[in-house]
Amino acid sequence: MAPRAPVTANTNSYFVWSLVKDNHCYLHKAKKPDIVFSKDPYNISGRNRHADAGFVQNKALLIKPASNATNLIFGTKEVSDDGKVKNTRVVVPGPRKANKKAEYFAVKLGRKDLVKVAQIKSSAIWHSRNTRKKSKKA
């Protein structure tokens, strides 16, 4: 069996994407509208394309709900020149702070294209987990 070549930081992400775009473990194909989605945790928009694929990019943003219903977890993935991956995670309470952190992390990573998408995802996760009880009015 031939030894596998390690994936390093200087590997071209377009080359890696051309190899895995049609077949990877995060791929999810919808039957009706013929849309291809990705369940990659570092994929903010959920679409299967090179710009959104977090496992291919050197800088990616993670937004997911925490174990309790009141917090969100923001994480970043940065690959340095020597190939080491640096992950950071921050727990954020509240929807306003979540939107601010989404903007902060996207700009910090140099991915200004992710600012609006990250804010939309953090807001959607927050509102899906924190539904208010309807009060009974007489």
Side-chain angles (χ1 to χ4, degrees):
M1 187 168 160
R4 291 177 55 190
V7 178
T8 60
N10 60 4
T11 304
N12 190 347
S13 66
Y14 291 102
F15 174 69
V16 173
W17 180 248
S18 68
L19 295 175
V20 300
K21 69 180 175 181
D22 294 328
N23 187 15
H24 57 85
C25 65
Y26 299 117
L27 196 62
H28 177 74
K29 296 182 180 180
K31 295 194 183 216
K32 277 286 181 187
D34 291 333
I35 299 174
V36 181
F37 296 106
S38 177
K39 293 186 177 183
D40 178 18
Y42 284 100
N43 188 334
I44 299 297
S45 69
R47 294 185 293 180
N48 187 40
R49 34 180 232 162
H50 176 260
D52 296 330
F55 66 95
V56 175
Q57 302 292 334
N58 287 339
K59 296 180 179 182
L61 181 63
L62 165 78
I63 302 173
K64 70 177 188 176
S67 60
N68 60 354
T70 59
N71 294 336
L72 290 177
I73 296 176
F74 284 86
T76 60
K77 177 190 95 168
E78 296 180 77
V79 180
S80 60
D81 292 336
D82 57 352
K84 294 183 181 178
V85 178
K86 176 185 169 191
N87 290 321
T88 57
R89 297 201 181 216
V90 175
V91 178
V92 178
R96 283 189 168 182
K97 287 186 179 182
N99 275 340
K100 290 289 185 184
K101 282 293 181 184
E103 180 180 1
Y104 169 75
F105 278 122
V107 171
K108 179 185 168 198
L109 288 174
R111 300 282 311 266
K112 290 186 179 180
D113 57 325
L114 293 181
V115 171
K116 197 67 170 174
V117 179
Q119 288 177 338
I120 290 170
K121 182 169 183 175
S122 67
S123 179
I125 291 172
W126 178 262
H127 290 296
S128 70
R129 292 182 60 111
N130 298 304
T131 56
R132 293 183 180 172
K133 294 181 182 178
K134 293 181 180 178
S135 61
K136 293 181 181 179
K137 293 185 178 179

